């Protein structure tokens, strides 16, 4: 029922996380009403994103600079003896915003879906083992994953994987309710979960 250009853009927006076909249609009709300049700015911002944003080869966080690695990995003042494993870049941002954690990070790229192993190939588990193996100063790995069944499944999996490395493996303390997500936890809750890790 929609014309080809409208249909095509609705299809593209529908592929975005958290955007269904109805929301996608609303965005498209919003853009039709706006002037050409605002559509150009949006298109240019998307193109710049792909051009400018790089993925750090050590922690897999995204960054924007001429440097080889991200600012956190390159910072000599960060503690090299502790590595915080997070599922996503947004979880890393939530912890970094607390300004209390001064160690390094590793972005896993997702969580295991339940107890199925079909999603495992999307997780950077081989890269994590490599990063841990290469860091001789490392003493502790914090598994800062969501207290959901996916998070728990991933924690159990990683504990098994990392056991031979001989470093201390800790999890966040309770505080974030089961089923909750790090990204939406308030700062005090997240901070005490991190401080009280065991
Ligand atoms: Zn990095």
């Amino acid at each position: 029922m929609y014309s080809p250009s409208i249909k095509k853009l609705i299809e593209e927006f529908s592929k975005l996380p958290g955007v269904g076909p109805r929301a996608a249609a609303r965005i498209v009709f919003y853009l039709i009403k706006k002037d050409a300049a605002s559509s150009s700015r949006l298109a240019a911002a998307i193109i710049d994103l792909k051009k400018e944003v790089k993925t750090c080869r050590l922690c897999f966080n995204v960054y924007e600079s001429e440097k080889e690695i991200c600012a956190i990995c390159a910072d000599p003042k960060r503690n090299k003896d502790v590595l915080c494993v997070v599922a996503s870049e947004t979880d890393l941002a939530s912890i970094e915003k607390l300004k209390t954690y001064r160690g390094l990070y590793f972005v896993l790229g997702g969580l295991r879906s339940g107890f199925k192993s079909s999603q495992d190939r999307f997780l950077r588990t081989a890269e994590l083992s490599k990063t841990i193996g290469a860091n001789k100063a490392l003493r502790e790995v914090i598994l800062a994953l969501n207290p959901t069944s996916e998070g728990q499944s991933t924690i159990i999996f990683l504990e098994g994987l990392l056991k031979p490395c001989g470093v201390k493996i800790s999890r966040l303390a309770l505080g974030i309710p089961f089923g909750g997500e790090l990204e939406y936890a308030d700062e005090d809750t997240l901070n005490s979960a991190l401080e009280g890790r065991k």
Side-chain angles (χ1 to χ4, degrees):
M1 61 182 213
Y2 294 129
S3 67
S5 301
I6 293 176
K7 228 173 111 184
K8 192 173 146 197
L9 196 54
I10 290 176
E11 264 173 37
E12 289 302 323
F13 281 132
S14 302
K15 292 175 194 164
L16 302 177
V19 181
R22 283 168 63 108
R26 276 203 300 274
I27 299 169
V28 171
F29 286 104
Y30 167 82
L31 290 171
I32 291 170
K33 278 186 232 123
K34 298 292 280 186
D35 57 13
S38 60
S39 288
S40 299
R41 276 198 303 275
L42 176 65
I46 295 172
I47 292 165
D48 283 351
L49 194 68
K50 293 303 289 180
K51 246 186 352 212
E52 305 295 337
V53 176
K54 294 191 268 190
T55 303
C56 177
R57 64 182 163 81
L58 296 179
C59 70
F60 294 90
N61 190 22
V62 289
Y63 71 105
E64 239 176 286
S65 80
E66 292 305 306
K67 303 253 170 62
E68 275 294 295
I69 51 175
C70 79
I72 296 175
C73 290
D75 186 349
K77 292 202 282 291
R78 303 287 302 211
N79 301 328
K80 304 278 187 278
D81 59 351
V82 49
L83 183 76
C84 182
V85 178
V86 289
S88 65
E89 296 83 351
T90 46
D91 286 348
L92 186 156
S94 300
I95 295 176
E96 198 54 17
K97 221 170 79 188
L98 301 174
K99 294 192 169 72
T100 49
Y101 176 72
R102 298 297 300 155
L104 299 175
Y105 291 98
F106 187 89
V107 181
L108 197 57
L111 294 172
R112 295 187 96 195
S113 61
F115 287 87
K116 284 183 287 208
S117 57
S118 56
Q119 295 293 309
D120 289 357
R121 64 199 162 97
F122 298 115
L123 303 182
R124 300 186 183 108
T125 48
E127 292 87 342
L128 177 61
S129 298
K130 213 175 125 190
T131 296
I132 291 175
N135 183 349
K136 299 289 170 241
L138 192 66
R139 287 190 303 111
E140 182 184 2
V141 174
I142 306 167
L143 302 176
L145 304 175
N146 289 339
T148 55
S149 55
E150 288 84 3
Q152 295 308 304
S153 167
T154 311
I155 286 173
I156 293 164
F157 176 72
L158 290 180
E159 281 175 341
L161 182 83
L162 303 178
K163 211 171 176 191
C165 301
V167 293
K168 181 185 171 194
I169 299 166
S170 53
R171 325 173 165 200
L172 293 184
L174 294 177
I176 302 169
F178 188 80
E181 293 180 17
L182 254 63
E183 207 179 324
Y184 304 114
D186 67 82
E187 292 191 10
D188 288 340
T189 306
L190 185 53
N191 210 11
S192 55
L194 191 62
E195 294 281 308
R197 66 184 185 266
K198 47 186 176 277

